[in-house]
Amino acid sequence: MTPSALIEALNCALCEHIPVHIWGAPGVGKSDIVRDLAVARNVNFIDLRAVLLDPVDLRGLPSIDGDTTRWLVPNF
């Protein structure tokens, strides 16, 4: 997919609230395209590299209160 085709697809997906997974070689500009699109549309952008995180980083830390456990998820 060309960068312009990706931008068009992302715009359509954003309008319809459809999640997107972009898969491609490293260094081809995927993150830059998404960040630029977020800035242009005034949408919050968080660059989160899941491969660099432990599962607990995404789920959070447990907080036990009696018989109940709540997960304290990260702010991002």
Side-chain angles (χ1 to χ4, degrees):
M1 181 177 279
T2 65
S4 59
L6 176 57
I7 292 168
E8 184 178 340
L10 289 172
N11 272 313
C12 291
L14 276 170
C15 289
E16 298 297 325
H17 303 285
I18 299 171
V20 176
H21 176 90
I22 303 170
W23 182 24
V28 296
K30 299 178 299 292
S31 298
D32 290 338
I33 289 170
V34 174
R35 184 186 57 249
D36 292 348
L37 183 63
V39 168
R41 294 181 64 122
N42 198 28
V43 174
N44 193 22
F45 173 74
I46 299 172
D47 188 352
L48 181 66
R49 312 287 171 130
V51 71
L52 301 176
L53 301 173
D54 284 334
V56 72
D57 292 335
L58 296 174
R59 187 170 188 180
L61 297 172
S63 174
I64 301 170
D65 183 16
D67 292 337
T68 304
T69 301
R70 290 183 313 123
W71 293 94
L72 307 173
V73 297
N75 287 340
F76 58 78

